[in-house]
Coordinates of all heavy atoms in Angstrom, one line a residue:
M16 N 102.0 -81.8 -48.0 CA 102.7 -83.0 -47.8 C 101.8 -84.2 -48.2 O 100.7 -84.2 -47.7 CB 103.2 -83.0 -46.4 CG 103.9 -84.3 -46.0 SD 104.6 -84.2 -44.4 CE 103.2 -84.5 -43.4
A17 N 102.3 -85.1 -48.9 CA 101.5 -86.3 -49.3 C 101.4 -87.2 -48.1 O 102.1 -87.1 -47.2 CB 102.2 -87.0 -50.5
A18 N 100.4 -88.1 -48.2 CA 100.2 -89.1 -47.1 C 101.5 -90.0 -47.0 O 102.1 -90.4 -48.0 CB 99.1 -90.0 -47.5
K19 N 101.9 -90.2 -45.8 CA 103.1 -91.0 -45.4 C 102.7 -92.2 -44.7 O 101.8 -92.2 -43.8 CB 104.1 -90.2 -44.6 CG 104.4 -88.9 -45.1 CD 105.2 -89.0 -46.4 CE 105.4 -87.7 -47.1 NZ 105.6 -87.8 -48.5
N20 N 103.2 -93.4 -45.0 CA 102.9 -94.6 -44.3 C 103.8 -94.8 -43.2 O 104.8 -95.6 -43.2 CB 102.9 -95.8 -45.3 CG 101.8 -95.8 -46.3 OD1 100.6 -95.5 -45.8 ND2 102.0 -96.1 -47.5
I21 N 103.6 -94.1 -42.1 CA 104.3 -94.2 -40.9 C 103.5 -95.1 -39.9 O 102.4 -94.8 -39.7 CB 104.6 -92.9 -40.3 CG1 105.5 -92.0 -41.2 CG2 105.3 -93.0 -38.9 CD1 105.7 -90.6 -40.8
S22 N 104.1 -96.2 -39.5 CA 103.4 -97.1 -38.6 C 104.1 -97.4 -37.4 O 105.3 -97.0 -37.1 CB 103.1 -98.4 -39.4 OG 104.3 -99.0 -39.8
K23 N 103.5 -98.2 -36.5 CA 104.1 -98.6 -35.2 C 105.5 -99.2 -35.4 O 105.7 -100.0 -36.3 CB 103.2 -99.6 -34.6 CG 103.6 -100.0 -33.2 CD 102.5 -100.9 -32.6 CE 102.9 -101.2 -31.1 NZ 101.9 -102.1 -30.5
G24 N 106.4 -98.7 -34.6 CA 107.8 -99.2 -34.7 C 108.7 -98.4 -35.6 O 109.9 -98.5 -35.5
D25 N 108.1 -97.5 -36.5 CA 109.0 -96.7 -37.3 C 109.6 -95.6 -36.5 O 109.2 -95.2 -35.4 CB 108.2 -96.1 -38.5 CG 107.7 -97.1 -39.5 OD1 108.4 -98.1 -39.6 OD2 106.7 -96.8 -40.2
R26 N 110.7 -95.1 -37.1 CA 111.4 -93.9 -36.4 C 111.3 -92.8 -37.4 O 111.5 -92.9 -38.6 CB 112.8 -94.3 -36.1 CG 113.0 -95.2 -34.9 CD 114.4 -95.8 -34.8 NE 114.9 -96.5 -35.9 CZ 114.6 -97.7 -36.3 NH1 113.8 -98.4 -35.5 NH2 115.1 -98.3 -37.3
V27 N 111.1 -91.6 -36.9 CA 111.0 -90.3 -37.6 C 112.0 -89.3 -37.0 O 111.9 -89.1 -35.8 CB 109.6 -89.8 -37.6 CG1 109.6 -88.4 -38.3 CG2 108.6 -90.7 -38.3
A28 N 112.9 -88.8 -37.7 CA 113.8 -87.8 -37.2 C 113.3 -86.4 -37.4 O 112.6 -86.1 -38.4 CB 115.2 -87.9 -37.9
L29 N 113.5 -85.5 -36.4 CA 113.0 -84.1 -36.4 C 114.1 -83.2 -36.3 O 115.0 -83.3 -35.5 CB 112.0 -83.9 -35.3 CG 110.9 -84.9 -35.0 CD1 110.2 -84.5 -33.8 CD2 110.0 -84.9 -36.2
F30 N 114.2 -82.2 -37.2 CA 115.3 -81.2 -37.2 C 114.6 -79.8 -37.3 O 114.4 -79.3 -38.4 CB 116.2 -81.5 -38.4 CG 117.5 -80.7 -38.4 CD1 118.3 -80.8 -37.3 CD2 117.8 -79.9 -39.5 CE1 119.5 -80.0 -37.3 CE2 119.0 -79.2 -39.4 CZ 119.9 -79.3 -38.3
Y31 N 114.3 -79.3 -36.1 CA 113.6 -78.1 -36.0 C 114.3 -77.2 -34.9 O 115.0 -77.7 -34.1 CB 112.1 -78.2 -35.5 CG 111.2 -78.8 -36.6 CD1 111.0 -80.2 -36.7 CD2 110.6 -78.0 -37.5 CE1 110.2 -80.7 -37.7 CE2 109.8 -78.5 -38.5 CZ 109.6 -79.8 -38.6 OH 108.8 -80.4 -39.5
G32 N 114.0 -75.9 -35.0 CA 114.4 -75.0 -33.9 C 113.2 -74.9 -33.0 O 112.8 -75.9 -32.5
C33 N 112.8 -73.7 -32.8 CA 111.6 -73.5 -31.9 C 110.3 -73.3 -32.7 O 109.6 -72.4 -32.3 CB 111.9 -72.3 -31.0 SG 113.3 -72.6 -29.9
E34 N 110.1 -74.1 -33.7 CA 108.9 -73.9 -34.5 C 107.8 -74.8 -34.0 O 108.0 -75.9 -33.5 CB 109.1 -74.3 -36.0 CG 110.0 -73.4 -36.7 CD 111.5 -73.8 -36.7 OE1 111.8 -74.8 -36.0 OE2 112.3 -73.2 -37.4
I35 N 106.5 -74.3 -34.1 CA 105.4 -75.0 -33.6 C 105.2 -76.3 -34.4 O 104.6 -77.3 -34.0 CB 104.1 -74.1 -33.7 CG1 102.9 -74.8 -32.9 CG2 103.7 -73.8 -35.1 CD1 103.1 -74.8 -31.4
E36 N 105.7 -76.3 -35.7 CA 105.5 -77.5 -36.5 C 106.2 -78.7 -35.9 O 105.7 -79.9 -36.1 CB 106.1 -77.2 -37.9 CG 105.4 -76.2 -38.7 CD 105.8 -74.8 -38.4 OE1 106.8 -74.6 -37.7 OE2 105.1 -73.9 -38.9
A37 N 107.2 -78.5 -35.1 CA 107.8 -79.7 -34.4 C 106.8 -80.4 -33.6 O 106.8 -81.6 -33.6 CB 109.0 -79.2 -33.6
F38 N 106.0 -79.7 -32.9 CA 105.0 -80.3 -32.0 C 103.9 -81.1 -32.8 O 103.5 -82.1 -32.4 CB 104.3 -79.3 -31.1 CG 105.3 -78.8 -30.0 CD1 105.8 -77.5 -30.2 CD2 105.6 -79.5 -28.9 CE1 106.7 -77.0 -29.2 CE2 106.5 -79.1 -28.0 CZ 107.1 -77.8 -28.1
E39 N 103.6 -80.5 -34.0 CA 102.6 -81.2 -34.8 C 103.2 -82.5 -35.3 O 102.5 -83.5 -35.3 CB 102.3 -80.3 -36.1 CG 101.5 -79.1 -35.7 CD 101.3 -78.3 -37.0 OE1 102.2 -77.6 -37.5 OE2 100.1 -78.3 -37.5
V40 N 104.4 -82.5 -35.7 CA 105.1 -83.8 -36.1 C 105.2 -84.8 -35.0 O 105.0 -86.0 -35.1 CB 106.4 -83.5 -36.8 CG1 107.1 -84.8 -37.2 CG2 106.2 -82.6 -38.1
I41 N 105.6 -84.3 -33.8 CA 105.8 -85.1 -32.7 C 104.5 -85.8 -32.3 O 104.4 -87.0 -32.2 CB 106.3 -84.3 -31.4 CG1 107.8 -83.9 -31.6 CG2 106.1 -85.1 -30.1 CD1 108.3 -82.9 -30.6
F42 N 103.4 -85.0 -32.2 CA 102.1 -85.6 -31.8 C 101.6 -86.6 -32.9 O 101.1 -87.7 -32.6 CB 101.1 -84.5 -31.5 CG 101.4 -83.7 -30.3 CD1 101.3 -82.3 -30.3 CD2 101.8 -84.3 -29.1 CE1 101.5 -81.6 -29.2 CE2 102.1 -83.6 -28.0 CZ 102.0 -82.2 -28.0
A43 N 101.7 -86.2 -34.1 CA 101.3 -87.1 -35.2 C 102.1 -88.4 -35.2 O 101.5 -89.5 -35.4 CB 101.4 -86.4 -36.6
T44 N 103.4 -88.3 -35.0 CA 104.3 -89.5 -35.0 C 103.9 -90.4 -33.8 O 103.7 -91.6 -34.0 CB 105.7 -89.1 -34.8 OG1 106.1 -88.2 -35.9 CG2 106.7 -90.3 -34.8
L45 N 103.7 -89.9 -32.6 CA 103.3 -90.7 -31.5 C 101.9 -91.3 -31.7 O 101.7 -92.5 -31.3 CB 103.3 -89.8 -30.2 CG 104.7 -89.4 -29.8 CD1 104.6 -88.4 -28.6 CD2 105.6 -90.5 -29.5
R46 N 101.0 -90.6 -32.3 CA 99.7 -91.1 -32.5 C 99.7 -92.3 -33.5 O 98.9 -93.2 -33.4 CB 98.8 -90.0 -33.1 CG 97.4 -90.6 -33.5 CD 96.3 -89.7 -33.0 NE 95.1 -90.4 -33.4 CZ 93.9 -89.9 -33.2 NH1 93.8 -88.7 -32.7 NH2 92.9 -90.5 -33.6
A47 N 100.6 -92.3 -34.5 CA 100.8 -93.4 -35.4 C 101.5 -94.6 -34.8 O 101.7 -95.6 -35.4 CB 101.6 -92.9 -36.6
G48 N 102.0 -94.4 -33.5 CA 102.7 -95.5 -32.9 C 104.2 -95.5 -33.2 O 104.9 -96.5 -32.9
A49 N 104.7 -94.5 -33.8 CA 106.1 -94.5 -34.2 C 106.9 -93.7 -33.1 O 106.3 -93.1 -32.2 CB 106.3 -93.8 -35.5
A50 N 108.2 -93.7 -33.2 CA 109.1 -93.0 -32.3 C 109.7 -91.8 -33.1 O 110.0 -91.9 -34.2 CB 110.2 -93.9 -31.8
F51 N 110.0 -90.7 -32.3 CA 110.6 -89.6 -33.0 C 112.0 -89.4 -32.4 O 112.3 -89.7 -31.2 CB 109.9 -88.3 -32.8 CG 109.7 -87.8 -31.4 CD1 110.6 -86.9 -30.9 CD2 108.6 -88.1 -30.7 CE1 110.5 -86.4 -29.6 CE2 108.5 -87.6 -29.4 CZ 109.4 -86.8 -28.9
V52 N 113.0 -89.0 -33.2 CA 114.3 -88.8 -32.8 C 114.7 -87.3 -33.0 O 114.7 -86.9 -34.2 CB 115.3 -89.7 -33.6 CG1 116.8 -89.4 -33.2 CG2 115.0 -91.1 -33.5
P53 N 114.8 -86.5 -32.0 CA 115.1 -85.1 -32.2 C 116.6 -84.9 -32.6 O 117.5 -85.5 -32.0 CB 114.8 -84.5 -30.8 CG 115.0 -85.6 -29.8 CD 114.6 -86.9 -30.5
L54 N 116.8 -84.1 -33.6 CA 118.1 -83.7 -34.0 C 118.3 -82.2 -33.7 O 117.5 -81.4 -34.0 CB 118.3 -83.9 -35.5 CG 118.0 -85.3 -36.0 CD1 118.1 -85.4 -37.6 CD2 119.0 -86.3 -35.5
S55 N 119.5 -81.9 -33.1 CA 119.7 -80.5 -32.6 C 120.3 -79.7 -33.7 O 121.3 -80.1 -34.4 CB 120.7 -80.6 -31.4 OG 121.0 -79.2 -31.1
P56 N 119.8 -78.5 -34.0 CA 120.4 -77.6 -34.9 C 121.8 -77.1 -34.5 O 122.5 -76.5 -35.3 CB 119.5 -76.4 -35.0 CG 118.2 -76.9 -34.4 CD 118.5 -78.0 -33.5
L57 N 122.2 -77.4 -33.3 CA 123.5 -77.0 -32.8 C 124.6 -78.0 -33.2 O 125.8 -77.6 -33.0 CB 123.5 -76.8 -31.3 CG 122.5 -75.8 -30.7 CD1 122.5 -75.8 -29.2 CD2 122.8 -74.4 -31.2
L58 N 124.3 -79.1 -33.7 CA 125.3 -80.1 -34.0 C 125.8 -79.9 -35.4 O 125.2 -79.3 -36.3 CB 124.6 -81.5 -34.0 CG 124.2 -82.1 -32.7 CD1 123.5 -83.4 -32.9 CD2 125.4 -82.2 -31.8
A59 N 127.1 -80.3 -35.6 CA 127.7 -80.2 -36.9 C 127.1 -81.2 -37.9 O 126.6 -82.2 -37.4 CB 129.2 -80.4 -36.8
P60 N 127.2 -80.9 -39.2 CA 126.6 -81.9 -40.2 C 127.1 -83.3 -40.0 O 126.3 -84.3 -40.2 CB 126.9 -81.3 -41.5 CG 127.0 -79.8 -41.2 CD 127.6 -79.7 -39.8
D61 N 128.4 -83.5 -39.7 CA 128.9 -84.9 -39.6 C 128.3 -85.6 -38.4 O 128.0 -86.8 -38.4 CB 130.4 -84.9 -39.6 CG 131.0 -84.1 -38.5 OD1 130.4 -83.2 -38.0 OD2 132.2 -84.4 -38.1
A62 N 128.0 -84.9 -37.3 CA 127.4 -85.4 -36.1 C 125.9 -85.8 -36.4 O 125.4 -86.8 -36.0 CB 127.5 -84.5 -34.9
L63 N 125.3 -84.9 -37.2 CA 123.9 -85.1 -37.6 C 123.8 -86.4 -38.4 O 122.9 -87.2 -38.3 CB 123.3 -83.9 -38.3 CG 123.0 -82.7 -37.5 CD1 122.7 -81.5 -38.4 CD2 121.9 -82.9 -36.5
G64 N 124.7 -86.5 -39.4 CA 124.8 -87.7 -40.3 C 125.0 -89.0 -39.5 O 124.4 -90.0 -39.8
A65 N 125.8 -88.9 -38.4 CA 126.0 -90.1 -37.6 C 124.8 -90.5 -36.9 O 124.4 -91.7 -36.7 CB 127.2 -89.8 -36.6
M66 N 124.0 -89.5 -36.4 CA 122.8 -89.8 -35.7 C 121.7 -90.4 -36.6 O 121.0 -91.3 -36.3 CB 122.2 -88.5 -35.0 CG 123.0 -88.0 -33.8 SD 122.2 -86.6 -33.0 CE 120.8 -87.4 -32.2
V67 N 121.6 -89.8 -37.8 CA 120.7 -90.4 -38.8 C 121.1 -91.8 -39.2 O 120.3 -92.7 -39.3 CB 120.7 -89.5 -40.1 CG1 119.9 -90.1 -41.2 CG2 120.0 -88.1 -39.7
S68 N 122.4 -92.1 -39.3 CA 122.9 -93.4 -39.6 C 122.5 -94.4 -38.5 O 122.1 -95.5 -38.7 CB 124.4 -93.4 -39.8 OG 124.9 -94.7 -40.0
D69 N 122.7 -93.9 -37.2 CA 122.4 -94.8 -36.1 C 120.9 -95.1 -35.9 O 120.5 -96.2 -35.7 CB 122.9 -94.2 -34.8 CG 124.4 -94.2 -34.7 OD1 125.0 -95.0 -35.4 OD2 124.9 -93.5 -33.8
C70 N 120.0 -94.1 -36.1 CA 118.6 -94.3 -35.9 C 117.8 -94.8 -37.1 O 116.7 -95.3 -36.9 CB 118.0 -93.1 -35.3 SG 117.7 -91.7 -36.5
E71 N 118.4 -94.7 -38.3 CA 117.8 -95.2 -39.5 C 116.3 -94.8 -39.6 O 115.4 -95.6 -39.6 CB 117.9 -96.7 -39.6 CG 119.3 -97.2 -39.7 CD 119.5 -98.7 -39.8 OE1 118.5 -99.4 -39.5 OE2 120.5 -99.1 -40.2
P72 N 116.0 -93.5 -39.6 CA 114.6 -93.0 -39.7 C 114.0 -93.3 -41.0 O 114.6 -93.4 -42.0 CB 114.7 -91.5 -39.4 CG 116.0 -91.2 -40.0 CD 116.9 -92.3 -39.7
K73 N 112.6 -93.4 -41.0 CA 111.9 -93.6 -42.3 C 111.8 -92.3 -43.0 O 111.9 -92.2 -44.2 CB 110.5 -94.1 -41.9 CG 109.7 -94.5 -43.2 CD 108.5 -95.3 -42.8 CE 107.8 -95.9 -44.0 NZ 106.7 -96.7 -43.6
Y74 N 111.7 -91.2 -42.3 CA 111.7 -89.8 -42.8 C 112.5 -88.9 -41.9 O 112.6 -89.1 -40.7 CB 110.3 -89.3 -42.9 CG 109.4 -90.0 -43.9 CD1 108.6 -91.0 -43.5 CD2 109.5 -89.7 -45.3 CE1 107.8 -91.7 -44.4 CE2 108.7 -90.4 -46.2 CZ 107.9 -91.3 -45.8 OH 107.1 -92.0 -46.7
V75 N 113.0 -87.8 -42.4 CA 113.5 -86.7 -41.6 C 112.6 -85.5 -41.9 O 112.4 -85.1 -43.1 CB 114.9 -86.3 -42.0 CG1 115.4 -85.1 -41.2 CG2 115.9 -87.5 -41.7
F76 N 111.9 -85.0 -40.9 CA 111.1 -83.8 -41.0 C 111.9 -82.6 -40.5 O 112.6 -82.7 -39.5 CB 109.8 -83.9 -40.2 CG 108.8 -84.8 -40.7 CD1 108.8 -86.2 -40.4 CD2 107.8 -84.4 -41.6 CE1 107.9 -87.0 -40.9 CE2 106.9 -85.2 -42.1 CZ 106.9 -86.6 -41.8
C77 N 111.9 -81.5 -41.3 CA 112.7 -80.3 -40.9 C 112.0 -79.0 -41.3 O 111.2 -79.1 -42.2 CB 114.1 -80.4 -41.4 SG 114.3 -80.2 -43.2
S78 N 112.4 -77.9 -40.8 CA 111.9 -76.6 -41.2 C 112.7 -76.3 -42.5 O 113.8 -76.7 -42.7 CB 112.0 -75.6 -40.1 OG 113.4 -75.4 -39.8
E79 N 112.1 -75.4 -43.3 CA 112.8 -75.0 -44.5 C 114.1 -74.3 -44.2 O 115.1 -74.4 -45.0 CB 111.9 -74.1 -45.3 CG 110.7 -74.8 -45.9 CD 109.7 -73.9 -46.6 OE1 109.7 -72.7 -46.3 OE2 109.0 -74.4 -47.5
R80 N 114.2 -73.6 -43.1 CA 115.5 -72.9 -42.8 C 116.7 -73.9 -42.5 O 117.8 -73.5 -42.6 CB 115.3 -71.9 -41.7 CG 115.1 -72.5 -40.4 CD 114.8 -71.3 -39.4 NE 114.5 -71.9 -38.1 CZ 115.1 -71.4 -37.0 NH1 115.9 -70.4 -37.0 NH2 114.7 -72.0 -35.8
F81 N 116.4 -75.1 -42.2 CA 117.4 -76.1 -41.9 C 117.6 -77.1 -43.0 O 118.4 -78.1 -42.9 CB 117.2 -76.8 -40.6 CG 117.2 -75.9 -39.4 CD1 116.2 -75.9 -38.4 CD2 118.3 -75.1 -39.1 CE1 116.2 -75.1 -37.3 CE2 118.4 -74.3 -38.0 CZ 117.3 -74.3 -37.1
E82 N 116.9 -77.0 -44.1 CA 116.9 -78.0 -45.1 C 118.3 -78.2 -45.7 O 118.7 -79.4 -45.9 CB 115.9 -77.6 -46.2 CG 115.8 -78.7 -47.3 CD 114.8 -78.3 -48.4 OE1 114.3 -77.2 -48.4 OE2 114.4 -79.2 -49.2
A83 N 119.0 -77.2 -46.0 CA 120.3 -77.3 -46.6 C 121.3 -78.1 -45.7 O 122.1 -78.9 -46.1 CB 120.9 -75.9 -47.0
I84 N 121.2 -77.8 -44.4 CA 122.1 -78.4 -43.4 C 121.8 -79.9 -43.3 O 122.7 -80.7 -43.3 CB 121.9 -77.8 -42.0 CG1 122.3 -76.3 -42.1 CG2 122.7 -78.5 -40.9 CD1 122.0 -75.5 -40.8
I85 N 120.5 -80.3 -43.2 CA 120.1 -81.7 -43.1 C 120.4 -82.5 -44.4 O 120.8 -83.6 -44.4 CB 118.7 -81.9 -42.6 CG1 118.5 -83.3 -42.0 CG2 117.7 -81.6 -43.7 CD1 119.3 -83.6 -40.7
Q86 N 120.3 -81.8 -45.5 CA 120.6 -82.5 -46.8 C 122.1 -82.8 -46.9 O 122.5 -83.8 -47.3 CB 120.2 -81.6 -48.0 CG 118.7 -81.7 -48.2 CD 118.3 -80.9 -49.5 OE1 119.0 -80.1 -50.0 NE2 117.1 -81.2 -49.9
M87 N 122.9 -81.8 -46.4 CA 124.4 -82.1 -46.3 C 124.7 -83.2 -45.4 O 125.5 -84.1 -45.7 CB 125.1 -80.8 -45.9 CG 126.6 -80.9 -46.0 SD 127.5 -79.4 -45.5 CE 126.4 -78.2 -44.9
A88 N 124.0 -83.2 -44.2 CA 124.3 -84.3 -43.2 C 123.8 -85.6 -43.7 O 124.4 -86.7 -43.4 CB 123.6 -83.9 -41.9
C89 N 122.8 -85.7 -44.5 CA 122.2 -87.0 -45.0 C 122.6 -87.4 -46.4 O 122.0 -88.3 -47.0 CB 120.7 -86.9 -44.9 SG 120.0 -86.7 -43.3
K90 N 123.6 -86.7 -46.9 CA 124.0 -87.0 -48.3 C 124.4 -88.4 -48.5 O 124.3 -89.0 -49.6 CB 125.1 -86.0 -48.8 CG 126.5 -86.2 -48.0 CD 127.5 -85.2 -48.5 CE 128.9 -85.5 -47.9 NZ 129.0 -85.0 -46.6
D91 N 124.9 -89.1 -47.5 CA 125.3 -90.5 -47.7 C 124.3 -91.5 -47.2 O 124.5 -92.7 -47.1 CB 126.6 -90.8 -46.9 CG 127.8 -90.0 -47.4 OD1 127.8 -89.7 -48.6 OD2 128.7 -89.6 -46.6
H92 N 123.1 -91.0 -46.9 CA 122.0 -91.9 -46.3 C 120.8 -91.7 -47.3 O 120.5 -90.7 -47.7 CB 121.6 -91.4 -44.9 CG 122.8 -91.3 -44.0 ND1 123.5 -92.4 -43.6 CD2 123.5 -90.2 -43.5 CE1 124.5 -92.0 -42.8 NE2 124.5 -90.7 -42.8
D93 N 120.1 -92.8 -47.5 CA 119.0 -92.9 -48.3 C 117.7 -92.7 -47.5 O 117.0 -93.7 -47.2 CB 118.9 -94.2 -49.1 CG 117.8 -94.2 -50.1 OD1 117.4 -93.1 -50.6 OD2 117.3 -95.3 -50.4
V94 N 117.4 -91.4 -47.1 CA 116.3 -91.1 -46.2 C 115.6 -89.9 -46.8 O 116.2 -88.9 -47.1 CB 116.7 -90.9 -44.8 CG1 117.7 -89.8 -44.6 CG2 115.5 -90.7 -43.9
P95 N 114.3 -90.0 -47.0 CA 113.5 -88.9 -47.5 C 113.5 -87.7 -46.5 O 113.3 -87.9 -45.3 CB 112.1 -89.4 -47.8 CG 112.2 -90.9 -47.8 CD 113.4 -91.2 -46.9
I96 N 113.7 -86.5 -47.0 CA 113.6 -85.3 -46.2 C 112.4 -84.5 -46.5 O 112.2 -84.2 -47.7 CB 114.9 -84.5 -46.4 CG1 116.1 -85.3 -46.0 CG2 114.8 -83.1 -45.6 CD1 117.5 -84.6 -46.3
I97 N 111.6 -84.2 -45.5 CA 110.4 -83.4 -45.7 C 110.6 -82.1 -45.1 O 110.7 -82.0 -43.9 CB 109.1 -84.1 -45.1 CG1 109.1 -85.6 -45.4 CG2 107.9 -83.3 -45.4 CD1 108.5 -86.0 -46.6
A98 N 110.7 -81.0 -45.9 CA 111.0 -79.7 -45.4 C 109.8 -78.8 -45.6 O 109.4 -78.5 -46.7 CB 112.2 -79.1 -46.0
K99 N 109.2 -78.4 -44.5 CA 108.0 -77.5 -44.6 C 108.1 -76.5 -43.4 O 108.6 -76.9 -42.4 CB 106.7 -78.3 -44.5 CG 106.4 -79.2 -45.6 CD 105.9 -78.4 -46.8 CE 105.5 -79.4 -47.9 NZ 105.0 -78.8 -49.1
S100 N 107.5 -75.4 -43.6 CA 107.4 -74.4 -42.5 C 106.0 -73.8 -42.5 O 105.7 -73.0 -43.4 CB 108.4 -73.3 -42.6 OG 109.7 -73.9 -42.3
G101 N 105.2 -74.2 -41.5 CA 103.9 -73.5 -41.3 C 102.8 -73.9 -42.2 O 101.7 -73.3 -42.1
E102 N 103.0 -74.7 -43.2 CA 101.9 -75.0 -44.2 C 101.7 -76.5 -44.4 O 101.6 -76.9 -45.5 CB 102.2 -74.3 -45.5 CG 102.2 -72.8 -45.4 CD 102.3 -72.1 -46.7 OE1 102.1 -72.7 -47.7 OE2 102.5 -70.9 -46.7
Y103 N 101.6 -77.3 -43.3 CA 101.4 -78.7 -43.4 C 99.9 -78.8 -43.9 O 99.0 -78.3 -43.2 CB 101.6 -79.4 -42.1 CG 103.1 -79.6 -41.9 CD1 103.7 -78.8 -40.9 CD2 103.8 -80.5 -42.6 CE1 105.1 -79.0 -40.7 CE2 105.2 -80.7 -42.3 CZ 105.8 -79.9 -41.4 OH 107.1 -80.1 -41.2
A104 N 99.7 -79.6 -44.9 CA 98.3 -79.8 -45.4 C 98.1 -81.2 -45.7 O 97.2 -81.6 -46.4 CB 98.1 -78.9 -46.6
G105 N 98.9 -82.1 -45.1 CA 98.7 -83.5 -45.4 C 98.5 -84.3 -44.2 O 98.1 -83.8 -43.1
F106 N 98.7 -85.6 -44.2 CA 98.4 -86.5 -43.1 C 99.6 -87.5 -43.0 O 100.2 -87.8 -43.9 CB 97.1 -87.3 -43.4 CG 95.9 -86.4 -43.5 CD1 95.6 -85.9 -44.8 CD2 95.2 -86.1 -42.5 CE1 94.5 -85.1 -45.0 CE2 94.0 -85.3 -42.6 CZ 93.7 -84.8 -43.9
I107 N 99.7 -88.0 -41.8 CA 100.5 -89.2 -41.5 C 99.6 -90.3 -41.6 O 98.6 -90.3 -40.8 CB 101.3 -89.1 -40.2 CG1 102.4 -88.1 -40.3 CG2 101.8 -90.5 -39.8 CD1 103.3 -88.0 -39.1
R108 N 99.7 -91.2 -42.5 CA 98.8 -92.3 -42.7 C 99.2 -93.5 -41.9 O 100.3 -94.0 -42.0 CB 98.6 -92.5 -44.1 CG 97.5 -93.5 -44.5 CD 97.4 -93.6 -45.9 NE 96.5 -94.7 -46.2 CZ 95.7 -94.8 -47.3 NH1 95.7 -93.8 -48.1 NH2 94.9 -95.8 -47.4
C109 N 98.3 -94.1 -41.2 CA 98.5 -95.4 -40.5 C 97.5 -96.4 -41.0 O 96.4 -96.3 -40.7 CB 98.4 -95.1 -39.0 SG 98.8 -96.6 -38.0
G110 N 98.0 -97.3 -41.8 CA 97.1 -98.3 -42.4 C 96.1 -97.7 -43.3 O 96.5 -96.9 -44.2
D111 N 94.8 -98.0 -43.2 CA 93.8 -97.4 -44.0 C 93.1 -96.1 -43.4 O 92.2 -95.6 -43.9 CB 92.7 -98.4 -44.4 CG 93.3 -99.5 -45.2 OD1 94.2 -99.3 -46.0 OD2 92.7 -100.6 -45.1
D112 N 93.6 -95.7 -42.3 CA 93.0 -94.7 -41.5 C 94.0 -93.5 -41.4 O 95.1 -93.7 -41.1 CB 92.6 -95.2 -40.1 CG 92.0 -94.1 -39.3 OD1 91.3 -93.2 -39.8 OD2 92.2 -94.2 -38.0
Y113 N 93.5 -92.3 -41.7 CA 94.3 -91.1 -41.5 C 94.2 -90.8 -40.0 O 93.2 -90.3 -39.5 CB 93.8 -89.9 -42.4 CG 94.1 -90.1 -43.8 CD1 93.2 -90.6 -44.7 CD2 95.4 -89.9 -44.3 CE1 93.5 -90.8 -46.0 CE2 95.7 -90.0 -45.6 CZ 94.7 -90.5 -46.5 OH 95.0 -90.7 -47.8
T114 N 95.3 -91.0 -39.3 CA 95.2 -90.9 -37.8 C 95.6 -89.5 -37.3 O 95.2 -89.1 -36.2 CB 96.1 -91.9 -37.2 OG1 97.4 -91.7 -37.6 CG2 95.7 -93.3 -37.5
A115 N 96.3 -88.7 -38.0 CA 96.7 -87.4 -37.5 C 96.9 -86.4 -38.7 O 97.4 -86.8 -39.7 CB 98.0 -87.5 -36.8
S116 N 96.3 -85.3 -38.5 CA 96.4 -84.3 -39.6 C 97.3 -83.2 -39.2 O 97.5 -82.8 -38.0 CB 95.0 -83.8 -39.9 OG 94.5 -83.0 -38.9
F117 N 97.9 -82.5 -40.2 CA 98.7 -81.3 -40.0 C 97.8 -80.2 -40.6 O 97.3 -80.3 -41.7 CB 100.0 -81.4 -40.8 CG 100.9 -82.4 -40.3 CD1 101.0 -83.7 -41.0 CD2 101.7 -82.2 -39.2 CE1 101.9 -84.6 -40.5 CE2 102.6 -83.1 -38.8 CZ 102.7 -84.3 -39.4
A118 N 97.7 -79.1 -40.0 CA 97.0 -78.0 -40.5 C 97.8 -76.7 -40.3 O 98.6 -76.6 -39.3 CB 95.7 -77.8 -39.7
P119 N 97.7 -75.8 -41.2 CA 98.4 -74.5 -41.0 C 98.0 -73.8 -39.7 O 96.9 -73.9 -39.2 CB 98.0 -73.7 -42.2 CG 97.4 -74.6 -43.1 CD 96.9 -75.8 -42.4
V120 N 99.0 -73.2 -39.1 CA 98.7 -72.5 -37.8 C 98.3 -71.1 -38.2 O 98.9 -70.4 -39.0 CB 100.0 -72.4 -37.0 CG1 99.8 -71.6 -35.7 CG2 100.5 -73.8 -36.6
A121 N 97.1 -70.7 -37.7 CA 96.5 -69.4 -38.0 C 97.4 -68.3 -37.4 O 97.8 -68.4 -36.2 CB 95.1 -69.3 -37.5
P122 N 97.6 -67.2 -38.1 CA 98.4 -66.1 -37.5 C 97.7 -65.4 -36.3 O 96.6 -65.5 -36.2 CB 98.7 -65.1 -38.7 CG 97.7 -65.5 -39.7 CD 97.2 -66.9 -39.4

């Protein structure tokens, strides 16, 4: 994942099941001073789309297994979707300082 300019006051939507990557994104988002909006995999795509429309996130982070669902839900919204599972190798960038890193989880 390339460096993302997520800063204080930004919103980031999360669309994960029970993956550890969700915690990585949550902690990195909070460290950057942004807010996270959890999206439930149990919701229908139209309900997910309404939530994305309401919160206007800068990015939507999701696991690869949910990528098709969130793309369908966000088809009318101009929001980048970052879909990764277990292999985060980038950073959330805050200003000129890399404040939080993502690293692969060792098996």
Side-chain angles (χ1 to χ4, degrees):
M16 180 172 76
K19 307 298 174 201
N20 288 319
I21 296 173
S22 59
K23 186 175 183 178
D25 288 337
R26 288 171 301 282
V27 174
L29 309 176
F30 191 54
Y31 288 93
C33 295
E34 291 95 355
I35 192 72
E36 293 85 11
F38 291 102
E39 292 179 282
V40 176
I41 289 169
F42 292 136
T44 301
L45 294 175
R46 175 134 183 188
F51 67 91
V52 179
L54 303 174
S55 173
L57 301 176
L58 293 175
D61 59 335
L63 290 169
M66 288 185 72
V67 169
S68 177
D69 286 345
C70 73
E71 298 178 346
K73 191 167 188 176
Y74 295 97
V75 175
F76 288 89
C77 70
S78 63
E79 289 175 338
R80 69 182 177 135
F81 294 129
E82 184 177 11
I84 296 169
I85 200 66
Q86 283 182 346
M87 185 177 9
C89 294
K90 68 180 184 283
D91 297 330
H92 309 289
D93 187 29
V94 60
I96 298 170
I97 314 278
K99 296 279 186 182
S100 289
E102 295 187 14
Y103 285 103
F106 299 88
I107 288 184
R108 185 174 171 151
C109 183
D111 292 332
D112 180 31
Y113 289 99
T114 59
S116 65
F117 294 100
V120 177

